[in-house]
Amino acid sequence: MNRKLCNLVGLFVTCGVLLSLASCSKQGNVAKGGHVSASQTGVKDILQSGLADQSSTIPQDNSDPSGPDFASLPAYTSQSVPPTEETVPSFSKNEEGIEVDLTELSSGAVYSVVYDMMFQPENYVGKVVKMQGAFDTFFDEATGKRYYACVIKDATQCCAQGIEFDPAQPGNYPDDYPVLGGDCTVIGTFDTYMEGEQRYATLRQATMTFSKEN
Amino acid sequence: MYLQLPLVQRALIVSVLIAFCSALLGVTLVLKRYSYIGDGLSHVAFGAMSVAAIVGLTNEMLLVLPVTIICAILLLRTGQNAKIKGDALIAMISVGALALGYLLMNVFSTSSNLSGDVCTTLFGSTSILTLSKEKVWLCVILSILVFIGFLFFYNKLFSVTFDEQFSRAIGMKVDLYHFLIAVMIAVIIVLAMTLVGSLLISALVIFPALSSMRLFKSFRSVTICAAVLSLICTLIGIIVSLLYSTPVGSTIVTVDVAGFLICFLAGKIRGGVRT
């Protein structure tokens, strides 16, 4: 019995080590690319993310402090989007032409993918993304521009991330938009853009479906 | 589908290694009546992590790991001889570090989501699903070191665990092995914080050991069974949490509890239940 258990454990360990080596050697290419945000994770990074958000050039709309925390959207420096050889998860294009359908994933996995999109945006640029989450918006008084975002939460409901979207047909706010925190589904093409010295991620030509009641 | 996601692959690798190593050391800790040390050390790690975040350390491990190791040594070495006994010392350090960590985060943190930060640290939240490759490497290396250390000193650890006085009498450097156990458990605790959070780490350490004790009697059998059980429960927990959108840490611990109940019943049926 003991020998069998020993063999089993040995097998698990060998598999674990081989898997680890295989996974990490593949991702080693990214490290050489000098991805600034790649090492960020855990509470320290969330704290740092918060600190970075505080110094972000984009002011926040304080009209609804109870809404989702829009400040969790990370900002990128221009160096943070180097070319990378890392393979993107093989999302196949479905009948609607969507390549990254986040609505098919559980909340934990959605949080994980959005995190990946925020910190390795180069892997997702040009892909059509569909996501479902809470609607949020803020208005930049300096530029007179309004920003929209779809915010998702993790399984514990304590951490939130969001992706900004650029509506194909902006319409009028608030008449043509959901209420703050209301459920919305957004489809758009993932892209990044520079604003000042910061790089931001957005879904271009986005279409949004929502219910006015929620 | 989920297995195609790089971050999920990393989470599985890291969780398997952490579960395996924590179960190995869990048996020793349970037998030495130090089941609660994991909880105490995780709170120490929480406090150290708060300080690291406030100070702005790029790699928080530089502070968290040494502080946790020092506290582990203090707990294991002075617990038996000091005026403040082991359980009281663990409680004192645990609560003190937790309170200090939260206080520091509250006073000095400029985070826009403090409750989210605390939640992530205490319950793991999505930390395991957002691991960087550097952290995966670190975890792999430390886990392998712990495993090698455990294998290499297996007989010594066995001896120190069961009869410390005898080990001392035959000339073994008991303090040195206490130090080794302290270092290994501190490393595992720091790594496991990512998986289940600081409040649930104890479960990862003690449940596999207690479950396997319901089924087996020898130290080796219990240790091997605990490691296998821990692996299985952790994998099931992560898969369930991914499929059903439940929090990773608490799901893993719930599966561990279920595993314990199954082992308890199995032990009862076999008539081999140990007290």
Side-chain angles (χ1 to χ4, degrees):
Chain A
M1 185 64 186
N2 287 348
R3 192 166 292 169
K4 282 181 183 174
L5 284 171
C6 278
N7 291 338
L8 193 61
V9 172
L11 188 65
F12 270 114
V13 173
T14 310
C15 289
V17 171
L18 288 175
L19 274 172
S20 308
L21 292 174
S23 166
C24 293
S25 62
K26 187 177 73 179
Q27 286 149 5
N29 295 328
V30 186
K32 287 169 191 166
H35 196 298
V36 173
S37 304
S39 64
Q40 292 188 341
T41 187
V43 69
K44 175 189 72 65
D45 309 309
I46 293 166
L47 284 171
Q48 283 185 343
S49 173
L51 288 169
D53 297 333
Q54 295 279 325
S55 60
S56 172
T57 50
I58 298 179
Q60 293 168 38
D61 185 359
N62 296 323
S63 60
D64 182 20
S66 63
D69 183 11
F70 208 88
S72 61
L73 283 174
Y76 307 106
T77 60
S78 55
Q79 300 98 310
S80 69
V81 194
T84 173
E85 294 174 20
E86 184 174 42
T87 53
V88 187
S90 54
F91 293 104
S92 55
K93 197 178 273 191
N94 65 14
E95 294 127 15
E96 297 174 78
I98 294 159
E99 288 158 286
V100 184
D101 192 350
L102 298 176
T103 60
E104 287 184 352
L105 303 176
S106 64
S107 59
V110 169
Y111 191 89
S112 180
V113 173
V114 172
Y115 181 91
D116 201 35
M117 292 168 83
M118 292 294 107
F119 287 91
Q120 300 200 76
E122 68 277 12
N123 289 336
Y124 295 88
V125 169
K127 294 196 178 295
V128 179
V129 177
K130 181 181 182 183
M131 69 185 298
Q132 186 176 20
F135 173 77
D136 199 11
T137 181
F138 63 83
F139 183 72
D140 186 352
E141 290 177 354
T143 61
K145 188 179 175 185
R146 181 170 285 281
Y147 300 84
Y148 305 97
C150 183
V151 179
I152 53 100
K153 289 191 172 184
D154 73 319
T156 51
Q157 299 289 307
C158 66
C159 300
Q161 290 183 108
I163 300 181
E164 183 196 330
F165 62 89
D166 184 16
Q169 295 175 323
N172 296 316
Y173 182 82
D175 299 338
D176 300 323
Y177 289 87
V179 293
L180 283 176
D183 196 45
C184 66
T185 304
V186 180
I187 300 173
T189 306
F190 190 82
D191 196 9
T192 59
Y193 67 96
M194 295 295 292
E195 197 164 87
E197 293 182 352
Q198 305 290 336
R199 185 178 294 274
Y200 297 91
T202 188
L203 298 179
R204 300 224 180 267
Q205 291 295 308
T207 56
M208 179 174 58
T209 52
F210 63 94
S211 170
K212 262 294 182 187
E213 280 97 46
N214 57 22
Chain B
M1 175 67 180
Y2 291 114
L3 294 178
Q4 292 175 355
L5 304 174
L7 290 170
V8 172
Q9 291 168 2
R10 290 179 201 172
L12 286 173
I13 292 165
V14 168
S15 56
V16 160
L17 292 171
I18 291 172
F20 182 77
C21 290
S22 59
L24 287 183
L25 287 169
V27 177
T28 301
L29 292 177
V30 168
L31 289 172
K32 284 181 77 66
R33 303 288 189 269
Y34 274 115
S35 299
Y36 217 58
I37 201 169
D39 201 60
L41 289 177
S42 65
H43 291 172
V44 169
F46 170 80
M49 198 171 271
S50 303
V51 173
I54 290 160
V55 172
L57 281 180
T58 313
N59 186 358
E60 78 273 15
M61 287 289 181
L62 293 174
L63 181 71
V64 177
L65 206 52
V67 169
T68 313
I69 288 172
I70 289 167
C71 285
I73 293 166
L74 280 174
L75 287 173
L76 280 176
R77 279 201 62 186
T78 63
Q80 292 152 351
N81 303 321
K83 287 180 181 174
I84 303 173
K85 294 295 176 190
D87 57 339
L89 195 62
I90 290 173
M92 199 175 74
I93 290 181
S94 166
V95 176
L98 186 66
L100 187 67
Y102 186 61
L103 183 69
L104 289 173
M105 283 177 91
N106 248 297
V107 174
F108 295 107
S109 172
T110 51
S111 169
S112 55
N113 186 16
L114 183 65
S115 59
D117 300 336
V118 175
C119 178
T120 301
T121 319
L122 294 182
F123 295 103
S125 193
T126 51
S127 304
I128 193 70
L129 289 169
T130 55
L131 286 173
S132 66
K133 58 188 176 301
E134 289 85 1
K135 208 144 196 176
V136 176
W137 264 117
L138 182 71
C139 183
V140 169
I141 292 165
L142 290 176
S143 300
I144 289 172
L145 286 177
V146 168
F147 181 60
I148 289 171
F150 187 85
L151 277 186
F152 198 73
F153 296 105
Y154 173 80
N155 290 328
K156 308 286 185 188
L157 294 176
F158 173 82
S159 181
V160 170
T161 300
F162 276 103
D163 199 336
E164 197 177 311
Q165 298 301 328
F166 175 75
S167 304
R168 210 179 284 275
I170 60 170
M172 273 179 61
K173 294 173 180 173
V174 173
D175 289 342
L176 186 69
Y177 293 110
H178 275 156
F179 176 78
L180 182 69
I181 294 171
V183 171
M184 288 199 293
I185 192 64
V187 168
I188 291 302
I189 293 300
V190 172
L191 293 178
M193 276 185 76
T194 317
L195 181 59
V196 292
S198 62
L199 282 185
L200 303 175
I201 282 177
S202 286
L204 212 59
V205 173
I206 61 170
F207 268 113
L210 290 174
S211 302
S212 56
M213 282 175 191
R214 304 305 102 183
L215 299 173
F216 296 97
K217 292 181 179 177
S218 76
F219 184 71
R220 179 181 291 179
S221 305
V222 167
T223 305
I224 293 169
C225 179
V228 174
L229 264 177
S230 184
L231 276 179
I232 294 169
C233 290
T234 302
L235 283 176
I236 291 173
I238 287 191
I239 291 166
V240 167
S241 72
L242 280 172
L243 293 177
Y244 298 101
S245 297
T246 54
V248 178
S250 49
T251 308
I252 291 172
V253 174
T254 305
V255 176
D256 274 325
V257 174
F260 173 77
L261 292 175
I262 291 167
C263 290
F264 180 78
L265 289 174
K268 277 277 188 194
I269 291 166
R270 280 178 51 182
V273 177
R274 306 177 70 224
T275 55

